[in-house]
């Protein structure tokens, strides 16, 4: 190992001056190397170590200066974009935990990345929450290329479909070249196999030009088990709390100021350097914080200060997630509504295993339309506890879906709803979510009835971990296909074999939502009987028949779109026999 | 082992009918054996086991019936008070985890206890929060006997001193015959070496007759490491959270309904069966609960429904602890104010080690008078994080003290303030807390300047645990005396050698608080300068001199009591040279 010269160009820690800030309200970043004004400033928060060096690959080694609260800093001239570096700690070369690019993967050197990019999205109007229709994408399986540029060619298609934002499953550098992304270990680095940071900027730029927003799935509840270099450097992780998936970030104990700051800077980084429009926070139930101010509150404030959106995945059925601060909440814009999914899935498929055991009747679905949380204080047999608390079911507070990466991929067989339901049932489900008055989310390929499975897959390198993941997926999800095998990943790619009848139906549903519903709605008028229900929202009246059955119609209306021809063109109050399917009417009179 | 006959008197689980309920708002108890109406009903919550028997010592064995949600129940006739029993699980005899008496200690059989007691406290008026003056007692070291009856003889003494409530350190059965009590494993059983349940009832009855309230220190943040029979029976403990002291109760995961219920029933049990007036919740920062409704909220509601008081020990500096629900709080009445203690202790002793490093200047003490929390959003060097959030410093929301079991006993040498400060400093400290406008708490013996130490002591039986505790106390608290040795316990007993000047001074302070302050106060007017400060509350003006110094007096007044003769009988505005000490004045004009 090159022992280096204590370099004369290493200067004292200078205060960072931000470049390229548009809104001016960002906090000064501390985490990660910064390029600008002809110099590079390296930073490492490592209070548990006494000495650190910077090693430029093919260059020199610099002794870093340790500052208060555990910061090592070094400012150096003459080091440009894409320069590769390691930190040297205890004689070992490690990547920068706040790396902005890992061109050779999780164990390789970190690369300097310029914050500059020739953005051409000046006319992007920003997300309109009322008109939000989200399309969830796994970058690796969406296109044959499995990259950000593979998404770019479909942007116009998505916009024409009626989608208003794409939501990318996590893109922070994760182990290997394929994976769902939830085991990332570099919050600031964009996955190399997806194309890295510049390709992501290019995708966001293109999406904005196509009038599509970009929501990013971010994981602050744990870090992945492989290549966690943070652990030995300082109190990045909680000693008190443990997530089901691994170490939890330390948001409330000694050293937590820096960890909280890292998360908030991370959000700002995506907004500032990548023009990201919103965030989906992974599994917030596993973000435990006993501080007077919960980190979720800080997250919501940070995102809102930049005029962006924040969505939570939560299985707590806790109104605090979406409640305003005045109502003791965290002020997050919206949360995923699993209860809606479980209600419609169990009702249409008849499945009752696992968490579906808590659902299955039409009454569950009706309650989810009316109250959002089906469990808002009732005993859950699956959870073996009383679950949830009542919430104000404002429409834009909840994201509903009939499929998402979890609901498909955590089925051992990865089978999509298109292969479980008949076409009438599938269209019915699609309408139920799109015309729910909540914010609909589609899982990639859903709009055309994609039939390829979506499995869990990974590309770890540690043999013990690989075996553990295999065993875990086998035991807990009955997944037969080896998650670690490339063929499992390849089998999960979209076929793009499109069922045109499904696709045009989805297009009509999205148009109906936009034109006749105008956005989210807080109240939904439902009627229901044996095998049917109707939902009236704004100018729309939708009739759902779970099987061939007489339906009591309570509105007059004219047909906009139906899944089969048993739905009359004109309806009035009274009883009509209808075949399984869904018909969407414009209310008249 | 006697294999028993499946007994014909074992009946189906009957709904419990409560006896001796006065207020009628108690929930029906599920935990613990109940005696009444000529029968005994045994209950065991053990969802993780498939079979349980009841073994009456010297009697029969009964098969218990397993009911829904993991309850084993058995109703049996002909078994009376003090009958000893075990449950038999997996061939092993174990005590009842909800035992109401362990006459032979933590590993011995459980005993049936009648809820009946010939109470004679009908004239007890109940606690008056405004007039609350708490006296913290460790039962084992308060009297030579070390029992509840050893306390009874001092009740009139305490009442005459001006105390209005005694607070008993935990009395739930803990390992061995001596200990602080925080490692209890039987929430419903009263420590046998203190005299057991009847002796506690007798003490409470006597206290009430002497017009003294009784506050009980209860531990819901963990259970002790020894004789934890709950662990193998069901999900009593959290898999997600860990307290620094051991397993945390499961308040938010599968099975938590029963655990939450156990805690709430436990509070009701102390109120109903023991006439307890209030509770001090040990270290609530270690009670982690991610439910929509925090268990602390349920605790506060349960206690308040019975018109009783609840106090929290908290090191979070989190206003939610004492805030009302409208202000997003848990609605707990009061919390211990460590910041006040640390401010006055470090100021008077000059100590700066450990957590005292965050304190030490007069400004800290002044802030604690004015804002309660000294750290309400500032960086704490000791904690290495930003700490706390501002709180409304209403007087009755905070308990202040210059000593308590922790602040004395966690000093390795167990040395009391009386042996650290000179008499003037000691009296000054006493006045500072008693006349603070907050609720004062005295640690037993403080009122007369007790000079014996109060060490940490224990009486575990597991050799490995004993060594771990020894090592831990040595390393973390520099305690040289062996905590496990009986001599350490005996050395901690009060000598009752009374410094009459200190005692009469304390009596005068408590009288002044009662007569001229009338109770708690939310606002305190302070002035201060180099080496002195004054506090004006209601009709009282108190002058504190940290050393011989000129003091700027801002009030006219007449002397009520002073620690030395340098304080003039009459004061007016102006500068007066005063010797170290404290003088209490009635404001005139």
């Amino acid at each position: 190992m090159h022992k280096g010269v204590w370099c004369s160009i290493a200067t004292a820690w200078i205060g960072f001056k931000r470049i390229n800030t548009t809104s001016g309200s960002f906090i000064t970043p501390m985490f990660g190397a910064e390029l600008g004004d002809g110099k590079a400033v390296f930073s490492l928060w490592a209070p548990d170590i006494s000495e650190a060096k910077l090693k430029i690959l093919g260059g020199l080694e610099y002794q870093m200066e340790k500052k208060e609260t555990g910061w090592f800093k070094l400012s150096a001239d003459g080091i440009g974009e894409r320069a590769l570096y390691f930190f040297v700690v205890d004689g070992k070369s490690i990547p920068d935990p706040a790396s902005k690019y890992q061109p050779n993967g999780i164990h390789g050197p970190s690369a300097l990345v310029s914050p500059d990019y020739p953005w051409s999205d000046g006319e992007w109007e920003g997300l309109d929450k009322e008109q939000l229709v989200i399309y969830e994408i796994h970058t690796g399986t969406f296109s044959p290329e499995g990259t950000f540029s593979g998404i770019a060619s479909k942007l116009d298609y998505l916009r024409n479909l009626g989608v208003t934002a794409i939501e990318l499953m996590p893109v922070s550098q994760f182990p290997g070249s394929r994976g769902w992304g939830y085991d990332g270990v570099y919050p600031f680095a964009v996955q190399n196999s997806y194309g890295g940071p510049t390709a992501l900027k290019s995708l966001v730029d293109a999406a904005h030009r196509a009038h599509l927003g970009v929501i990013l799935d971010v994981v602050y509840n744990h870090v992945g088990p492989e290549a966690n270099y943070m652990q030995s450097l300082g109190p990045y992780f909680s000693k008190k709390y443990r997530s089901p998936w691994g170490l939890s970030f330390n948001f409330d104990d000694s050293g937590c100021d820096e960890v909280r700051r890292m998360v908030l800077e991370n959000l700002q980084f995506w907004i500032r350097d990548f023009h990201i429009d919103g965030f989906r926070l992974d599994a917030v139930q596993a973000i435990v914080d006993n501080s007077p101010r919960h980190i979720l509150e800080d997250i919501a404030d940070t995102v809102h200060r930049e005029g962006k959106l924040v969505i939570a995945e939560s299985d707590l059925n806790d109104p605090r997630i979406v409640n305003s601060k005045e109502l003791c909440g965290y002020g997050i814009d919206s949360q995923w509504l699993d209860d809606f999914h479980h209600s419609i899935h169990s009702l249409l498929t008849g499945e009752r295993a696992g968490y579906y055991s808590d659902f299955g009747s039409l009454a569950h679905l009706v309650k989810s339309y009316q109250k959002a949380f089906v469990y808002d204080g009732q005993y859950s047999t699956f959870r073996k506890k009383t679950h949830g608390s009542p919430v104000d079911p404002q429409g834009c507070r909840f994201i509903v879906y009939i499929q998402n990466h979890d609901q498909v991929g955590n089925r051992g067989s990865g089978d999509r709803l298109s292969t479980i339901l008949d076409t009438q049932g599938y269209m019915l489900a699609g309408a139920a979510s799109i015309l729910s008055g909540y914010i609909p989310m589609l899982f990639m390929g859903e709009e055309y009835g994609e039939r390829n499975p979506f499995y869990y897959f990974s590309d770890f390198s540690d043999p013990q971990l690989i075996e553990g993941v295999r065993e875990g997926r086998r035991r807990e999800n009955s997944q037969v296909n080896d998650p670690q095998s490339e063929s499992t990943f390849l089998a999960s790619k979209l076929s793009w074999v499109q069922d045109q009848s499904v696709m045009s139906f989805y297009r009509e549903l999205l148009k109906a939502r936009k034109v006749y519903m105008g956005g989210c709605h807080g109240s939904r008028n439902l009627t229901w009987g044996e095998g049917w229900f109707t939902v009236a929202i704004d100018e729309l009246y939708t009739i759902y028949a779970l099987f061939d059955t007489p339906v009591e119609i309570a509105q007059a209306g004219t047909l906009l779109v139906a899944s089969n021809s048993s739905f009359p063109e004109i309806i009035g109050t009274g009883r009509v026999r209808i075949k399984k399917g869904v018909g969407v009417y414009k209310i008249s009179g």
Side-chain angles (χ1 to χ4, degrees), chain A residues 55 332 407:
Chain A
K55 180 163 80 173
I332 285 173
Q407 300 306 336

Side-chain angles (χ1 to χ4, degrees), chain A residues 136-176:
Chain A
E136 192 189 27
I137 290 178
H138 176 262
T139 303
T141 52
F142 179 76
S143 67
E145 307 91 308
T147 60
F148 296 124
S149 66
I151 301 172
S153 63
K154 295 286 187 186
L155 294 171
D156 287 337
Y157 159 83
L158 292 173
R159 183 68 211 184
N160 292 335
L161 180 68
V163 163
T164 64
I166 58 173
E167 178 171 313
L168 301 176
M169 284 170 65
V171 303
S172 287
Q173 187 71 39
F174 54 80

Side-chain angles (χ1 to χ4, degrees), chain A residues 170 181-184 217-223 249 280-282:
Chain A
Y182 297 95
D183 283 320
D217 193 343
V218 285
V219 184
Y220 299 133
N221 50 38
H222 81 294
V223 293
F249 281 117
R280 180 262 190 192
L281 307 173
D282 186 54

Side-chain angles (χ1 to χ4, degrees), chain A residues 336-410:
Chain A
W336 282 23
L337 189 56
D338 270 357
D339 280 12
F340 184 89
H341 171 270
H342 299 348
S343 296
I344 189 118
H345 183 96
S346 58
L347 183 66
L348 294 178
T349 63
E351 293 179 17
R352 297 291 182 275
Y355 44 70
Y356 295 127
S357 61
D358 278 341
F359 298 87
S361 83
L362 180 54
H364 292 120
L365 182 62
V366 168
K367 182 160 180 193
S368 195
Y369 272 108
Q370 291 174 330
K371 306 279 187 185
F373 296 153
V374 174
Y375 285 83
D376 57 3
Q378 293 75 29
Y379 186 82
S380 151
T381 306
F382 172 70
R383 293 170 189 269
K384 295 195 172 73
K385 54 170 259 192
T386 301
H387 182 50
S389 189
V391 71
D392 177 354
Q394 292 170 31
C396 278
R397 288 180 153 199
F398 296 96
I399 315 281
V400 297
Y401 36 81
I402 55 165
Q403 299 182 93
N404 65 34
H405 71 274
D406 270 329
Q407 300 306 336
V408 177
N410 286 334

